Amino acid sequence: MAVQGSGRRALVVGLGVAGISAALRLRQVGWEAVVVERAPRRRSGGYFIGLFGSGAASAERLGVLDAIGDRRASDSVFYEVDRAGRRHRGMGFTDLPNRPRMLLRGDVEAGLFEALPPEVEVRFSTVPTRIVQDADKAEVTLRDQTAGTTVTERYDLVVGADGLRSTVRRLVFGPDANHMHSLDHIIAATLLDEQVGGFGPHDGVVLAEVGRAAWIWPFADRGPSLLFTYHTNDMDGQFRRPAIESLRRAFGPRPAGPLLGELLDRFEKSDDFLFDSVHQVRMRQWYHGRVVLLGDAAWCMTLYSGLGTSAALAGGELLGTMLERHHDDLPAALGDWERRMRPYIDFQYDHLGPERLLFVPSTRPQQVVRSTLLRMRWAPVVGPALGYLMAASNLMKMKNLDVAAA
C-alpha cells in the first residue's frame, strides 16, 4: 500500500526491536525514515524473551504478529531443582496468567525487519558522533566506521533506540552515570543445541540459590536457552577474566553437582554467548527538543521485568501514532507519547523487586519465601487464589496500549 509522504524525515539510531518498530510505524504514517546501526550487519538469533499482551497488541497493529510467531510448547513444565538433583514443580513464563509468547529476540527483529518497506534506508557500521538542534531541525554528524568517512545531515526527528549504553543519550542527555543504575548483578546467556540430561525436551529448569541462579527456558521447536544470573560486589572484576571463570567462581566454592556442572561445561563450549552487567535506566524525561529516546535507551528495566521487548514494540508503535495524531506539533506529539507510556513503565519499576525475587533471591529469607510461594502455587486450595493475585499484579504487563479510545 502506498504511503503518502509528510515531507518529514526521521533518523532512527539502532536496528533492534525498538528502532525497527519506530521506523516501521513512522513510515506507515508518512514519514521518511533512515535507520543507522553500529553493527556491520543485522543480528540474528538472540536469547529468550517473553512477549506480553502489550507487545503482542502493538505487533498486531504493526502487521507483524504472525511473522513473529510463538515458540511456546504446550506441554512445557518448569521444575525447581537443587545441586543434588532433587526437583519439584516450579513456575516459569508458561505458568503466568494469559500465557505470554515465548520467543527468541531474533524472531521479533526478523519479523519487523521483513515488514520494513524498501523506502526505509538502512545504513550499517554507522554511528552518530554529534547532534546539534536548532529551531527547525536536528543536525546529526554520522560516521561510517567501515569507510572512515563522516557526513552531516538534518532531520526533523532523531529517535535514539540504541540500547542500554546509548550513544544518542550520551550526546544529548549527558553521561551514562546520570541515568544508568547498576543492580550489582551479572547475566550470562547462550542457546543450547539440546536439552540437558534427565529432563524432557520441553521442560524448564530453575536452580535458584541465594544471590545466584541458573534457568533453562524451553522452546517447542529448538533447543532451550540457558541463563545464569548472580550478584557481585566486584563488577569490574567480573570482566577481567574469561566469562566462564567468573561464572565458576560465582557458583562456587561448593561442588556444582551433575546438573549445574553440565550447564557450566556447556556454556564454556559455546561460541556465542552474552555476558553483561545488569543496569536500570531511569530518566526524568525521555525527549529533548527533536530527540527522543526509546526502549532500553530510555527506560531499561532489566531482564528481570520480562517486559523489555513488549515495551520496545509498544513504545515504537505508539510514537508513530502520536506523531500522526499531532501532525503539525512535534512537542505535543512527544509530550502525549511520554504521558501515555510513563505509567506503564513506572509500574514495572515499582514491581521489579518481587519479579527479581522470582529470578534470583537476594537473601536466605527471600529464598525461603520464594520456595514457599512456588510450592503453594500448586496446592489444591491455595494455588488458584495465588494465581488470581498473580494475574492482578501482572495486569499492566498485559495492558494493551491502544490509544484509539484514549
Side-chain angles (χ1 to χ4, degrees):
M1 181 179 68
V3 178
Q4 183 177 357
S6 67
R8 297 180 181 182
R9 191 170 184 236
L11 174 69
V12 178
V13 182
L15 195 64
V17 173
I20 311 175
S21 299
L24 176 58
R25 185 63 181 136
L26 282 166
R27 187 58 197 151
Q28 288 175 348
V29 301
W31 281 61
E32 178 186 350
V34 176
V35 184
V36 297
E37 164 59 40
R38 176 183 298 273
R41 64 188 65 84
R42 192 176 69 81
R43 295 165 296 183
S44 60
Y47 309 109
F48 167 82
I49 62 164
L51 188 67
F52 288 86
S54 52
S58 290
E60 186 170 27
R61 289 193 292 269
L62 288 167
V64 300
L65 185 59
D66 289 343
I68 286 173
D70 188 356
R71 295 181 185 266
R72 180 182 55 201
S74 59
D75 58 344
S76 177
V77 175
F78 268 77
Y79 291 99
E80 292 280 323
V81 303
D82 61 20
R83 297 191 186 211
R86 292 182 291 264
R87 69 175 75 176
H88 61 83
R89 181 72 184 270
M91 188 178 69
F93 268 61
T94 54
D95 301 306
L96 291 175
N98 300 304
R99 295 174 63 84
R101 294 182 179 220
M102 297 180 68
L103 300 163
L104 298 173
R105 185 202 66 222
D107 296 333
V108 183
E109 291 182 353
L112 288 165
F113 188 80
E114 291 302 316
L116 280 180
E119 296 83 13
V120 176
E121 180 185 359
V122 179
R123 306 177 194 171
F124 291 99
S125 298
T126 303
V127 295
T129 60
R130 176 177 170 271
I131 301 175
V132 178
Q133 303 185 66
D134 57 34
D136 299 317
K137 300 283 183 178
E139 186 174 277
V140 186
T141 300
L142 298 167
R143 178 175 177 80
D144 183 323
Q145 298 184 112
T146 300
T149 57
T150 61
V151 62
T152 298
E153 299 172 346
R154 290 171 65 81
Y155 293 90
D156 297 285
L157 177 68
V158 176
V159 180
D162 47 343
L164 173 65
R165 297 173 178 85
S166 167
T167 298
V168 174
R169 191 181 64 228
R170 286 197 299 272
L171 290 174
V172 177
F173 297 85
D176 287 346
N178 293 349
H179 312 293
M180 289 175 57
H181 305 278
S182 176
L183 297 188
D184 298 325
H185 278 68
I186 291 286
I187 55 170
T190 191
L191 290 173
L192 303 180
D193 293 332
E194 59 185 8
Q195 180 64 283
V196 296
F199 290 90
H202 300 154
D203 288 344
V205 183
V206 187
L207 189 155
E209 300 175 340
V210 175
R212 56 196 181 187
W215 285 71
I216 295 174
W217 305 95
F219 299 111
D221 53 358
R222 60 146 295 121
S225 183
L226 168 62
L227 170 73
F228 293 103
T229 182
Y230 63 89
H231 175 267
T232 178
N233 291 319
D234 179 21
M235 187 63 70
D236 292 341
Q238 307 309 302
F239 299 94
R240 296 194 190 106
R241 50 185 174 259
I244 185 58
E245 184 177 337
S246 288
L247 276 173
R248 291 190 184 279
R249 290 190 184 191
F251 282 84
R254 293 171 51 200
L259 174 62
L260 181 57
E262 179 182 351
L263 295 179
L264 290 167
D265 289 345
R266 291 176 71 171
F267 185 92
E268 184 174 15
K269 295 174 183 177
S270 175
D271 295 326
D272 183 16
F273 63 85
L274 169 71
F275 186 82
D276 202 358
S277 54
V278 180
H279 289 79
Q280 278 188 332
V281 172
R282 290 182 178 252
M283 304 185 68
R284 289 191 297 270
Q285 186 164 302
W286 297 328
Y287 67 94
H288 175 68
R290 295 179 176 275
V291 180
V292 61
L293 298 176
L294 193 61
D296 284 351
W299 57 65
C300 181
M301 297 168 287
T302 80
L303 87 164
Y304 301 131
S305 75
L307 200 71
T309 299
S310 297
L313 279 162
E317 187 243 343
L318 183 61
L319 176 64
T321 300
M322 292 297 97
L323 289 167
E324 180 184 39
R325 178 169 296 183
H326 300 277
H327 179 74
D328 296 318
D329 193 340
L330 181 63
L334 297 182
D336 203 2
W337 169 79
E338 179 159 340
R339 180 176 63 82
R340 295 168 191 272
M341 283 295 299
R342 181 68 72 169
Y344 178 71
I345 300 301
D346 285 349
F347 179 89
Q348 310 308 324
Y349 286 143
D350 293 341
H351 289 76
L352 179 64
E355 289 167 340
R356 188 170 65 178
L357 171 63
L358 177 65
F359 273 89
V360 53
S362 299
T363 64
R364 175 60 181 166
Q366 284 188 6
Q367 185 182 32
V368 172
V369 169
R370 180 185 182 279
S371 179
T372 301
L373 287 174
L374 289 176
R375 290 179 185 274
M376 290 171 58
R377 177 66 180 94
W378 305 111
V381 177
V382 180
L386 187 58
Y388 176 82
L389 293 176
M390 289 169 51
S393 67
N394 201 42
L395 180 62
M396 189 64 81
K397 278 189 174 64
M398 304 308 301
K399 181 180 179 182
N400 178 356
L401 289 183
D402 188 348
V403 301

